[in-house]
Amino acid sequence: MISLCDGMHTISTIESLLKEKFGLSQEDSEATVSGVIRKAIHAGAVELIGFPKKEAKRKIWDKILQVPCTLNAPKSVMWYITQKCNLRCQHCFLEGCPKASHEFSEEDAKRLMDELGRMGVLYLSLSGGEPFMRKDLFRLIEYASSYGMRVDIASNGTLIDKDMVKKIASSHVFQVQVSIDGLEKVHNSFRANNEAFKASAEAVRRMLDEGIMVTISHTVRKGLVGEAEKVIDWAVGMQCAGIKIIPFYPVGRGEKKAAQYVLTKEDIVQLHGMISEKRKLAPAGFEIYTEMDYLIPLKGLTEQSRFMFCPAGKETLAVFPDGTLYACPFLTTFPAGKWPEDTIENVWFHSPVLSMLRGITAAQVAGKCRECENRTICGGGCRAFAYYSGSAIDGSDPYCLVFAGK
Protein backbone atom coordinates (compact mmCIF):
# COMPACT_ATOMS: atom_id res chain seq x y z
CA MET A 1 0.00 0.00 0.00
CA ILE A 2 2.77 2.42 0.89
CA SER A 3 4.55 1.67 -2.39
CA LEU A 4 1.44 2.93 -4.19
CA CYS A 5 1.72 6.29 -2.40
CA ASP A 6 3.95 7.57 -5.17
CA GLY A 7 2.06 10.67 -6.23
CA MET A 8 0.52 8.79 -9.16
CA HIS A 9 -2.30 6.89 -7.42
CA THR A 10 -5.43 8.31 -5.83
CA ILE A 11 -6.86 6.97 -2.59
CA SER A 12 -9.77 5.48 -4.55
CA THR A 13 -7.34 3.70 -6.88
CA ILE A 14 -5.44 2.22 -3.95
CA GLU A 15 -8.72 1.04 -2.41
CA SER A 16 -9.72 -0.62 -5.69
CA LEU A 17 -6.37 -2.36 -6.07
CA LEU A 18 -6.50 -3.59 -2.49
CA LYS A 19 -10.07 -4.81 -2.93
CA GLU A 20 -9.14 -6.75 -6.06
CA LYS A 21 -5.90 -8.25 -4.72
CA PHE A 22 -7.29 -9.50 -1.42
CA GLY A 23 -10.96 -9.98 -2.23
CA LEU A 24 -12.11 -7.39 0.31
CA SER A 25 -15.46 -5.69 0.48
CA GLN A 26 -15.60 -1.99 -0.37
CA GLU A 27 -16.12 -1.17 3.30
CA ASP A 28 -13.15 -3.28 4.44
CA SER A 29 -10.97 -1.87 1.68
CA GLU A 30 -11.75 1.74 2.66
CA ALA A 31 -11.19 1.03 6.35
CA THR A 32 -7.85 -0.69 5.70
CA VAL A 33 -6.51 2.03 3.43
CA SER A 34 -7.56 4.87 5.73
CA GLY A 35 -6.01 3.08 8.72
CA VAL A 36 -2.64 2.44 7.07
CA ILE A 37 -2.35 5.85 5.43
CA ARG A 38 -3.36 7.58 8.66
CA LYS A 39 -0.45 5.89 10.45
CA ALA A 40 1.90 6.76 7.58
CA ILE A 41 0.84 10.40 7.62
CA HIS A 42 1.36 10.68 11.36
CA ALA A 43 4.77 9.01 11.01
CA GLY A 44 5.77 11.63 8.47
CA ALA A 45 6.19 8.98 5.74
CA VAL A 46 3.32 10.04 3.48
CA GLU A 47 1.81 13.37 2.46
CA LEU A 48 -1.48 13.93 0.68
CA ILE A 49 -1.17 16.18 -2.37
CA GLY A 50 -4.75 16.14 -3.63
CA PHE A 51 -8.17 16.52 -2.11
CA PRO A 52 -11.06 14.00 -2.49
CA LYS A 53 -13.94 15.48 -4.48
CA LYS A 54 -16.67 13.32 -2.96
CA GLU A 55 -18.17 14.74 0.22
CA ALA A 56 -18.17 11.37 2.03
CA LYS A 57 -14.44 10.87 1.47
CA ARG A 58 -13.67 14.46 2.41
CA LYS A 59 -15.26 13.87 5.81
CA ILE A 60 -13.20 10.72 6.38
CA TRP A 61 -9.91 12.41 5.55
CA ASP A 62 -10.88 15.54 7.41
CA LYS A 63 -10.96 13.49 10.63
CA ILE A 64 -7.61 11.88 9.87
CA LEU A 65 -5.77 15.09 9.06
CA GLN A 66 -7.13 17.11 11.94
CA VAL A 67 -5.74 14.76 14.60
CA PRO A 68 -2.64 16.45 16.11
CA CYS A 69 0.50 14.32 16.00
CA THR A 70 4.14 14.74 16.90
CA LEU A 71 6.79 13.35 14.58
CA ASN A 72 9.82 11.66 16.10
CA ALA A 73 11.94 14.55 14.82
CA PRO A 74 11.49 17.69 12.76
CA LYS A 75 11.51 16.77 9.07
CA SER A 76 13.27 20.01 8.25
CA VAL A 77 15.57 22.25 10.29
CA MET A 78 16.46 25.77 9.18
CA TRP A 79 19.73 26.72 10.87
CA TYR A 80 20.90 30.30 10.63
CA ILE A 81 24.54 29.54 11.27
CA THR A 82 25.70 33.15 11.48
CA GLN A 83 24.35 36.64 11.83
CA LYS A 84 27.25 38.02 9.82
CA CYS A 85 26.30 39.35 6.42
CA ASN A 86 27.95 41.46 3.74
CA LEU A 87 24.61 43.12 2.87
CA ARG A 88 22.10 45.09 4.89
CA CYS A 89 18.76 44.07 3.43
CA GLN A 90 15.58 45.91 4.38
CA HIS A 91 13.63 42.79 5.37
CA CYS A 92 16.25 40.81 7.33
CA PHE A 93 14.64 39.24 10.39
CA LEU A 94 18.10 38.50 11.81
CA GLU A 95 19.26 42.08 11.23
CA GLY A 96 22.48 40.74 9.74
CA CYS A 97 25.53 42.97 9.46
CA PRO A 98 29.31 42.55 8.91
CA LYS A 99 30.26 42.86 12.58
CA ALA A 100 27.59 40.57 14.04
CA SER A 101 29.05 38.08 16.49
CA HIS A 102 26.31 35.51 17.13
CA GLU A 103 27.44 32.07 15.96
CA PHE A 104 28.64 28.78 17.43
CA SER A 105 32.19 27.50 17.23
CA GLU A 106 32.78 24.66 14.79
CA GLU A 107 32.96 22.22 17.71
CA ASP A 108 29.63 23.34 19.14
CA ALA A 109 28.06 23.39 15.69
CA LYS A 110 29.00 19.74 15.21
CA ARG A 111 27.54 18.88 18.61
CA LEU A 112 24.26 20.42 17.51
CA MET A 113 24.37 18.41 14.28
CA ASP A 114 25.02 15.27 16.32
CA GLU A 115 21.66 15.82 18.01
CA LEU A 116 19.89 16.47 14.72
CA GLY A 117 21.49 13.41 13.15
CA ARG A 118 20.62 11.08 16.02
CA MET A 119 17.00 12.24 15.92
CA GLY A 120 16.79 11.49 12.21
CA VAL A 121 16.25 14.96 10.76
CA LEU A 122 15.86 14.64 6.98
CA TYR A 123 16.56 18.13 5.65
CA LEU A 124 19.00 20.75 6.92
CA SER A 125 19.06 24.23 5.44
CA LEU A 126 22.11 26.33 6.30
CA SER A 127 21.47 30.05 6.08
CA GLY A 128 22.31 33.32 7.77
CA GLY A 129 23.13 36.20 7.67
CA GLU A 130 25.29 35.00 4.85
CA PRO A 131 26.47 31.40 5.37
CA PHE A 132 29.47 31.82 3.06
CA MET A 133 30.98 34.18 5.62
CA ARG A 134 31.72 31.14 7.81
CA LYS A 135 35.15 29.71 7.03
CA ASP A 136 34.12 26.27 8.29
CA LEU A 137 30.96 26.09 6.15
CA PHE A 138 32.09 23.18 3.98
CA ARG A 139 33.29 21.17 6.97
CA LEU A 140 29.86 21.64 8.52
CA ILE A 141 28.21 20.54 5.28
CA GLU A 142 30.23 17.35 5.14
CA TYR A 143 29.59 16.62 8.81
CA ALA A 144 25.83 17.00 8.41
CA SER A 145 25.76 14.89 5.26
CA SER A 146 27.54 12.07 7.12
CA TYR A 147 24.27 11.60 9.03
CA GLY A 148 22.34 11.26 5.79
CA MET A 149 20.74 14.68 6.05
CA ARG A 150 20.05 16.48 2.79
CA VAL A 151 21.95 19.76 3.07
CA ASP A 152 20.85 22.94 1.28
CA ILE A 153 22.40 26.40 1.42
CA ALA A 154 20.38 29.62 1.35
CA SER A 155 22.53 32.56 0.29
CA ASN A 156 22.37 36.05 -1.17
CA GLY A 157 24.81 34.76 -3.78
CA THR A 158 27.16 37.74 -3.82
CA LEU A 159 30.15 35.86 -2.36
CA ILE A 160 29.93 32.86 -4.69
CA ASP A 161 32.91 33.41 -6.97
CA LYS A 162 34.57 30.87 -9.29
CA ASP A 163 36.60 29.26 -6.51
CA MET A 164 33.55 28.99 -4.28
CA VAL A 165 31.59 27.31 -7.08
CA LYS A 166 34.28 24.63 -7.37
CA LYS A 167 34.02 23.96 -3.63
CA ILE A 168 30.25 23.70 -3.82
CA ALA A 169 30.43 21.34 -6.79
CA SER A 170 32.77 18.99 -4.93
CA SER A 171 30.74 19.05 -1.70
CA HIS A 172 27.62 17.18 -0.60
CA VAL A 173 25.37 20.22 -1.07
CA PHE A 174 22.03 19.16 -2.57
CA GLN A 175 21.06 22.61 -3.81
CA VAL A 176 21.85 26.29 -3.36
CA GLN A 177 18.99 28.77 -2.99
CA VAL A 178 19.85 32.32 -4.09
CA SER A 179 17.71 35.31 -3.14
CA ILE A 180 16.53 37.47 -6.05
CA ASP A 181 13.99 40.06 -4.92
CA GLY A 182 13.36 41.76 -8.23
CA LEU A 183 15.19 42.58 -11.41
CA GLU A 184 18.32 44.71 -11.14
CA LYS A 185 17.00 48.11 -10.02
CA VAL A 186 14.39 46.77 -7.61
CA HIS A 187 16.64 44.06 -6.19
CA ASN A 188 19.55 46.42 -5.58
CA SER A 189 17.32 48.92 -3.81
CA PHE A 190 15.81 46.26 -1.54
CA ARG A 191 19.22 44.78 -0.79
CA ALA A 192 20.81 48.23 -0.30
CA ASN A 193 23.68 47.45 -2.66
CA ASN A 194 24.06 48.65 -6.26
CA GLU A 195 26.09 45.60 -7.28
CA ALA A 196 23.99 42.93 -5.57
CA PHE A 197 21.91 41.77 -8.55
CA LYS A 198 24.87 41.48 -10.91
CA ALA A 199 26.89 39.48 -8.38
CA SER A 200 23.99 37.16 -7.54
CA ALA A 201 23.04 36.60 -11.16
CA GLU A 202 26.65 35.77 -12.07
CA ALA A 203 26.77 33.30 -9.18
CA VAL A 204 23.62 31.59 -10.41
CA ARG A 205 25.06 31.25 -13.92
CA ARG A 206 28.39 29.91 -12.63
CA MET A 207 26.71 27.27 -10.49
CA LEU A 208 24.33 26.16 -13.23
CA ASP A 209 27.26 25.83 -15.63
CA GLU A 210 28.91 23.48 -13.12
CA GLY A 211 25.80 21.33 -12.82
CA ILE A 212 24.84 22.56 -9.35
CA MET A 213 21.13 22.59 -8.60
CA VAL A 214 20.05 26.20 -8.06
CA THR A 215 16.70 27.49 -6.87
CA ILE A 216 15.63 31.08 -6.36
CA SER A 217 13.88 32.63 -3.38
CA HIS A 218 11.86 35.80 -3.79
CA THR A 219 10.31 37.98 -1.10
CA VAL A 220 7.18 39.54 -2.58
CA ARG A 221 6.12 42.96 -1.27
CA LYS A 222 3.10 45.24 -1.47
CA GLY A 223 2.41 46.45 -4.98
CA LEU A 224 5.20 44.35 -6.47
CA VAL A 225 3.47 41.17 -7.59
CA GLY A 226 4.44 42.11 -11.14
CA GLU A 227 8.09 42.08 -10.05
CA ALA A 228 7.62 38.57 -8.64
CA GLU A 229 6.32 37.50 -12.06
CA LYS A 230 9.40 38.95 -13.74
CA VAL A 231 11.68 37.04 -11.37
CA ILE A 232 9.83 33.77 -12.10
CA ASP A 233 10.37 34.38 -15.82
CA TRP A 234 14.03 35.22 -15.16
CA ALA A 235 14.52 32.00 -13.17
CA VAL A 236 12.90 29.95 -15.95
CA GLY A 237 15.13 31.65 -18.52
CA MET A 238 18.22 30.86 -16.46
CA GLN A 239 17.07 27.20 -16.28
CA CYS A 240 16.98 27.11 -12.50
CA ALA A 241 15.25 24.17 -10.79
CA GLY A 242 12.53 26.33 -9.27
CA ILE A 243 11.58 29.32 -7.19
CA LYS A 244 10.17 29.84 -3.71
CA ILE A 245 7.82 32.79 -3.26
CA ILE A 246 7.93 34.20 0.29
CA PRO A 247 5.58 36.93 1.54
CA PHE A 248 7.13 39.88 3.35
CA TYR A 249 6.94 39.50 7.14
CA PRO A 250 7.38 42.55 9.41
CA VAL A 251 10.06 40.92 11.55
CA GLY A 252 13.49 42.17 12.64
CA ARG A 253 14.67 44.99 10.40
CA GLY A 254 11.50 44.52 8.37
CA GLU A 255 9.34 45.67 11.27
CA LYS A 256 10.09 49.28 10.35
CA LYS A 257 9.00 48.65 6.76
CA ALA A 258 5.61 47.09 7.53
CA ALA A 259 3.51 49.92 6.09
CA GLN A 260 5.58 49.96 2.92
CA TYR A 261 5.88 46.25 2.21
CA VAL A 262 3.22 44.10 3.95
CA LEU A 263 0.95 42.58 1.30
CA THR A 264 -2.64 43.66 0.94
CA LYS A 265 -5.47 41.23 0.25
CA GLU A 266 -5.55 42.59 -3.28
CA ASP A 267 -1.87 41.67 -3.65
CA ILE A 268 -2.59 38.16 -2.39
CA VAL A 269 -5.44 37.64 -4.85
CA GLN A 270 -3.23 38.89 -7.69
CA LEU A 271 -0.28 36.80 -6.49
CA HIS A 272 -2.29 33.59 -6.27
CA GLY A 273 -3.72 34.08 -9.76
CA MET A 274 -0.30 34.83 -11.19
CA ILE A 275 1.30 31.76 -9.59
CA SER A 276 -1.53 29.54 -10.84
CA GLU A 277 -1.01 30.76 -14.41
CA LYS A 278 2.78 30.48 -14.23
CA ARG A 279 2.52 26.89 -13.01
CA LYS A 280 0.53 26.01 -16.12
CA LEU A 281 3.23 27.48 -18.35
CA ALA A 282 6.33 26.39 -16.43
CA PRO A 283 8.64 23.91 -18.15
CA ALA A 284 8.74 20.34 -16.89
CA GLY A 285 10.71 20.06 -13.66
CA PHE A 286 10.50 23.74 -12.76
CA GLU A 287 8.77 24.07 -9.37
CA ILE A 288 7.04 27.24 -8.21
CA TYR A 289 6.79 26.77 -4.46
CA THR A 290 5.00 28.93 -1.97
CA GLU A 291 3.90 28.43 1.61
CA MET A 292 0.61 30.05 0.66
CA ASP A 293 -0.81 27.14 -1.33
CA TYR A 294 -3.75 26.94 1.05
CA LEU A 295 -5.02 30.15 -0.56
CA ILE A 296 -7.27 28.28 -2.96
CA PRO A 297 -9.62 29.84 -5.53
CA LEU A 298 -13.08 30.90 -4.45
CA LYS A 299 -14.59 28.46 -6.91
CA GLY A 300 -13.76 25.72 -4.41
CA LEU A 301 -12.00 22.38 -4.36
CA THR A 302 -10.67 20.55 -7.38
CA GLU A 303 -8.67 17.36 -7.75
CA GLN A 304 -5.58 19.57 -8.15
CA SER A 305 -6.15 21.48 -4.92
CA ARG A 306 -3.05 21.19 -2.75
CA PHE A 307 -2.89 20.28 0.89
CA MET A 308 -1.15 22.98 2.86
CA PHE A 309 -1.03 23.63 6.56
CA CYS A 310 1.24 25.67 8.75
CA PRO A 311 4.24 23.36 9.44
CA ALA A 312 5.56 25.48 12.33
CA GLY A 313 6.40 23.16 15.19
CA LYS A 314 4.77 20.22 13.44
CA GLU A 315 7.39 19.52 10.79
CA THR A 316 9.89 22.34 11.08
CA LEU A 317 12.25 23.89 13.60
CA ALA A 318 14.44 26.98 13.24
CA VAL A 319 17.77 27.44 15.01
CA PHE A 320 19.02 31.01 15.32
CA PRO A 321 22.74 31.92 15.55
CA ASP A 322 22.64 32.24 19.35
CA GLY A 323 20.91 28.85 19.74
CA THR A 324 17.37 30.12 20.29
CA LEU A 325 14.86 27.67 18.82
CA TYR A 326 11.66 28.69 17.08
CA ALA A 327 8.87 26.79 15.40
CA CYS A 328 9.15 29.27 12.53
CA PRO A 329 11.80 31.93 11.82
CA PHE A 330 9.03 34.53 11.61
CA LEU A 331 7.48 33.72 15.00
CA THR A 332 10.31 35.26 16.99
CA THR A 333 7.95 36.42 19.74
CA PHE A 334 7.49 32.75 20.68
CA PRO A 335 10.83 31.06 21.47
CA ALA A 336 10.48 27.31 21.98
CA GLY A 337 13.77 26.85 23.82
CA LYS A 338 17.49 27.48 23.60
CA TRP A 339 20.36 25.20 22.69
CA PRO A 340 22.62 23.99 24.33
CA GLU A 341 20.81 24.74 27.60
CA ASP A 342 17.98 22.59 26.20
CA THR A 343 18.50 19.59 23.96
CA ILE A 344 16.78 19.63 20.58
CA GLU A 345 14.93 16.44 21.51
CA ASN A 346 13.62 17.84 24.78
CA VAL A 347 12.38 21.00 23.09
CA TRP A 348 10.77 19.06 20.25
CA PHE A 349 8.76 16.84 22.58
CA HIS A 350 8.16 19.08 25.61
CA SER A 351 8.14 22.74 24.56
CA PRO A 352 4.84 24.39 25.57
CA VAL A 353 5.08 26.64 22.50
CA LEU A 354 5.34 23.70 20.11
CA SER A 355 2.54 21.88 21.91
CA MET A 356 0.36 24.95 21.58
CA LEU A 357 1.04 25.27 17.84
CA ARG A 358 0.37 21.58 17.24
CA GLY A 359 -2.98 21.95 18.87
CA ILE A 360 -4.11 24.70 16.53
CA THR A 361 -6.30 23.34 13.75
CA ALA A 362 -9.07 24.97 11.77
CA ALA A 363 -11.47 23.53 14.34
CA GLN A 364 -9.85 25.71 17.01
CA VAL A 365 -9.21 28.85 14.96
CA ALA A 366 -11.69 31.59 15.74
CA GLY A 367 -14.12 32.76 13.09
CA LYS A 368 -15.31 31.16 9.89
CA CYS A 369 -12.50 28.59 9.62
CA ARG A 370 -14.35 26.08 11.79
CA GLU A 371 -17.16 25.66 9.29
CA CYS A 372 -15.13 26.01 6.09
CA GLU A 373 -15.15 23.07 3.68
CA ASN A 374 -11.49 23.79 2.94
CA ARG A 375 -10.24 23.54 6.52
CA THR A 376 -8.52 20.20 5.91
CA ILE A 377 -6.37 21.74 3.19
CA CYS A 378 -5.13 24.75 5.15
CA GLY A 379 -5.66 23.88 8.81
CA GLY A 380 -6.51 27.51 9.46
CA GLY A 381 -3.65 29.04 7.48
CA CYS A 382 -0.38 30.67 8.51
CA ARG A 383 0.15 31.37 12.21
CA ALA A 384 2.64 34.17 11.51
CA PHE A 385 0.16 35.92 9.19
CA ALA A 386 -2.51 35.62 11.87
CA TYR A 387 -0.25 36.99 14.60
CA TYR A 388 1.19 39.95 12.67
CA SER A 389 -2.22 41.03 11.42
CA GLY A 390 -3.10 41.96 14.99
CA SER A 391 -4.98 38.78 15.64
CA ALA A 392 -3.95 36.17 18.20
CA ILE A 393 -1.58 33.40 17.13
CA ASP A 394 -4.59 31.08 17.04
CA GLY A 395 -6.66 33.58 15.06
CA SER A 396 -7.76 33.36 11.46
CA ASP A 397 -5.38 34.03 8.60
CA PRO A 398 -6.15 37.52 7.22
CA TYR A 399 -5.12 36.50 3.71
CA CYS A 400 -7.64 33.68 3.28
CA LEU A 401 -9.07 33.93 -0.23
CA VAL A 402 -12.20 32.00 0.64
CA PHE A 403 -13.47 34.92 2.70
CA ALA A 404 -11.63 37.71 0.90
CA GLY A 405 -14.75 38.94 -0.83
CA LYS A 406 -17.16 38.36 2.06
Side-chain angles (χ1 to χ4, degrees), residues 27-335:
E27 183 179 356
D28 287 343
S29 176
E30 290 180 357
T32 303
V33 171
S34 65
V36 171
I37 295 182
R38 179 179 64 247
K39 292 179 182 177
I41 290 171
H42 289 183
V46 165
E47 292 180 352
L48 297 179
I49 59 174
F51 200 81
K53 292 183 70 175
K54 294 181 179 179
E55 180 66 24
K57 287 202 179 288
R58 288 216 300 268
K59 290 181 179 179
I60 293 172
W61 293 99
D62 182 76
K63 291 180 181 179
I64 290 172
L65 292 168
Q66 291 298 323
V67 176
C69 63
T70 303
L71 302 180
N72 289 333
K75 287 173 61 176
S76 176
V77 170
M78 298 158 283
W79 183 11
Y80 303 92
I81 56 176
T82 183
Q83 193 182 6
K84 290 179 182 176
C85 189
N86 60 316
L87 299 181
R88 195 174 180 84
C89 305
Q90 296 184 36
H91 65 316
C92 183
F93 54 84
L94 280 180
E95 301 189 56
C97 58
K99 296 183 179 180
S101 59
H102 293 310
E103 64 182 54
F104 292 126
S105 67
E106 181 177 343
E107 181 181 358
D108 286 339
K110 289 180 177 178
R111 285 176 49 221
L112 191 151
M113 286 189 285
D114 286 336
E115 292 192 23
L116 301 180
R118 286 194 294 266
M119 289 183 72
V121 170
L122 299 177
Y123 311 115
L124 179 63
S125 175
L126 301 179
S127 186
E130 174 48 52
F132 284 101
M133 292 191 76
R134 279 198 67 134
K135 296 180 180 179
D136 58 359
L137 174 62
F138 289 96
R139 293 194 294 273
L140 298 182
I141 291 168
E142 298 310 303
Y143 196 82
S145 65
S146 71
Y147 278 103
M149 287 183 275
R150 193 191 86 177
V151 183
D152 300 337
I153 302 176
S155 166
N156 63 43
T158 59
L159 300 180
I160 304 177
D161 56 19
K162 293 180 180 179
D163 290 337
M164 194 66 75
V165 169
K166 292 179 181 179
K167 291 181 180 180
I168 296 170
S170 62
S171 73
H172 283 90
V173 170
F174 180 77
Q175 69 175 352
V176 178
Q177 184 179 88
V178 177
S179 299
I180 300 290
D181 293 310
L183 297 188
E184 188 163 10
K185 184 178 180 180
V186 174
H187 177 85
N188 288 346
S189 174
F190 194 56
R191 296 269 163 178
N193 186 299
N194 290 331
E195 301 298 322
F197 182 85
K198 181 180 178 181
S200 298
E202 288 178 350
V204 170
R205 172 49 55 209
R206 289 190 194 106
M207 289 189 286
L208 290 171
D209 287 345
E210 287 295 321
I212 298 166
M213 184 184 294
V214 179
T215 58
I216 302 301
S217 67
H218 174 82
T219 299
V220 62
R221 290 92 71 198
K222 183 169 72 174
L224 291 174
V225 173
E227 201 69 21
E229 184 174 8
K230 292 176 184 177
V231 174
I232 291 174
D233 291 341
W234 180 85
V236 170
M238 292 289 282
Q239 297 185 318
C240 296
I243 186 168
K244 180 177 182 180
I245 304 295
I246 307 168
F248 177 88
Y249 288 91
V251 186
R253 197 176 289 140
E255 187 176 357
K256 297 178 182 178
K257 298 288 184 177
Q260 182 178 353
Y261 288 135
V262 169
L263 298 173
T264 65
K265 279 193 174 182
E266 290 75 19
D267 288 325
I268 289 292
V269 172
Q270 182 185 353
L271 180 64
H272 183 274
M274 182 272 288
I275 290 174
S276 297
E277 289 304 310
K278 287 297 179 183
R279 280 175 172 159
K280 295 175 185 177
L281 301 172
F286 185 87
E287 177 73 12
I288 301 176
Y289 175 78
T290 172
E291 294 174 344
M292 298 178 287
D293 269 331
Y294 59 88
L295 300 175
I296 60 177
L298 294 175
K299 64 184 179 182
L301 301 168
T302 69
E303 289 181 330
Q304 287 75 41
S305 293
R306 300 183 177 211
F307 281 98
M308 182 63 216
F309 62 93
C310 182
K314 300 171 184 175
E315 294 187 351
T316 63
L317 195 66
V319 184
F320 272 35
D322 65 350
T324 304
L325 306 174
Y326 298 98
C328 164
F330 301 114
L331 286 174
T332 52
T333 307
F334 302 91

